[in-house]
């Protein structure tokens, strides 16, 4: 499932993050890439230990914890601390698949990457290029979203970031270990939850709502991977 999640951050939060990030010294993004990814990765990044990354990452994680659409679609069990990156001057990230398991440094925690998320911190008019392009069985899908919006997609997807030929593309990325490992099962649960919410708004007293809610939770109970 590929999902656009709007307004994860408010315009004020985006402006505050950009003010801090624009005054921060960036590092070569290849320092945090594996051998294969390093051959196609050309960007700037903050390491997860960087105090700015930790400060802004906490803000983003709190926002995700309040976002009903993210919680419904991702069913998060663990979220890898957000990393912040910057593409400019032709920077790009060639076609790749994200690492299957990531270690949270200093915490003794491993996160299985079921879902990847990119939160845009630059407005589309601020830069040329920089589209996040994902390939699946239905073809290529490009995302270049307003600042504060997020795209959520399976970490199994082949994807790339097109070269930025003008301006700078600033974004945050994180990975989610879901309660439900399989994308098809997560998608069914998300669609059922969306339908239940719509029914609850339009016919809140309908007796079938209780039965359908039970079905949702019994499926989640069956598929949850703890």
């Amino acid at each position: 499932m590929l999902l656009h999640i709007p307004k994860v951050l408010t315009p004020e939060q985006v402006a505050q993050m950009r003010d801090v990030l624009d005054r921060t010294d960036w590092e070569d993004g290849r320092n945090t890439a594996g051998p294969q990814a390093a051959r196609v990765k050309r960007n700037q990044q903050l390491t997860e230990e960087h105090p700015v990354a930790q400060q802004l990452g906490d803000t983003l994680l709190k926002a995700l914890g309040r976002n009903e659409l993210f919680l419904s679609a991702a069913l998060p069990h663990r979220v890898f601390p957000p990393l912040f990156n910057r593409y400019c001057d032709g920077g790009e990230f060639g076609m790749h698949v994200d690492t299957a398991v990531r270690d949270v440094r200093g915490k003794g925690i491993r996160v299985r990457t079921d879902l990847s998320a990119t939160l845009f911190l630059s407005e589309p008019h601020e830069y040329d290029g920089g589209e996040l392009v994902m390939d699946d069985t239905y073809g290529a899908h490009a995302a270049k979203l307003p600042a504060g919006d997020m795209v959520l997609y399976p970490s199994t997807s082949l994807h790339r970031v097109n070269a930025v030929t003008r301006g700078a593309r600033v974004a945050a990325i994180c990975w989610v270990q879901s309660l439900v490992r399989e994308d098809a099962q997560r998608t069914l649960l998300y669609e059922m939850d969306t339908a239940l919410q719509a029914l609850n708004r339009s016919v809140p007293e309908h007796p079938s709502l209780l039965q359908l809610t039970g079905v949702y939770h019994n499926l989640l109970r069956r598929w949850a991977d703890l």
Side-chain angles (χ1 to χ4, degrees):
M1 179 173 58
L2 174 66
L3 185 65
H4 173 194
I5 304 179
K7 299 179 181 178
V8 173
L9 297 179
T10 66
E12 292 77 18
Q13 288 174 314
V14 171
Q16 290 169 3
M17 285 193 180
R18 283 297 304 275
D19 180 62
V20 174
L21 290 169
D22 289 346
R23 293 184 284 109
T24 299
D25 293 329
W26 296 83
E27 301 180 13
D28 190 328
R30 288 172 295 185
N31 294 339
T32 60
Q36 186 178 40
R39 291 196 292 269
V40 295
K41 184 177 184 181
R42 191 154 67 90
N43 69 355
Q44 298 170 313
Q45 194 163 290
L46 300 183
T47 63
E48 58 190 272
E49 302 95 340
H50 197 290
V52 168
Q54 293 179 347
Q55 173 195 347
L56 301 186
D58 286 344
T59 298
L60 177 51
L61 289 176
K62 289 176 182 176
L64 290 175
R66 297 189 297 265
N67 190 287
E68 293 182 0
L69 182 54
F70 171 79
L71 296 174
S72 175
L75 294 170
H77 178 46
R78 291 175 177 162
V79 180
F80 189 86
L83 299 177
F84 294 83
N85 57 39
R86 183 174 183 266
Y87 291 81
C88 61
D89 300 324
E92 62 184 334
F93 198 162
M95 196 65 78
H96 64 285
V97 173
D98 289 339
T99 302
V101 178
R102 301 188 70 97
D103 292 300
V104 182
R105 294 181 186 175
K107 301 291 186 180
I109 297 173
R110 288 183 171 180
V111 176
R112 187 186 66 237
T113 59
D114 298 320
L115 291 160
S116 302
T118 297
L119 178 92
F120 291 80
L121 292 168
S122 299
E123 295 291 355
H125 69 264
E126 294 183 56
Y127 59 99
D128 292 335
E131 298 85 0
L132 174 63
V133 181
M134 292 143 289
D135 278 351
D136 62 21
T137 54
Y138 298 101
H141 310 275
K144 185 174 181 178
L145 303 180
D149 288 14
M150 171 179 279
V151 60
L152 184 70
Y153 54 99
S155 298
T156 53
S157 303
L158 278 169
H159 57 283
R160 68 181 187 271
V161 177
N162 287 340
V164 173
T165 57
R166 178 187 65 86
R169 175 196 190 268
V170 182
I173 55 173
C174 60
W175 295 270
V176 180
Q177 179 174 329
S178 178
L179 290 169
V180 176
R181 182 192 298 250
E182 295 297 328
D183 181 60
Q185 294 171 346
R186 280 195 312 273
T187 300
L188 286 173
L189 288 169
Y190 169 67
E191 290 175 349
M192 182 176 287
D193 188 33
T194 300
L196 283 168
Q197 292 180 44
L199 287 171
N200 196 49
R201 289 191 296 269
S202 59
V203 286
E205 303 302 325
H206 199 290
S208 294
L209 269 173
L210 179 60
Q211 183 180 12
L212 289 172
T213 301
V215 171
Y216 172 88
H217 284 285
N218 286 332
L219 286 173
L220 179 57
R221 185 177 292 110
R222 175 181 290 270
W223 291 336
D225 182 11
L226 298 173

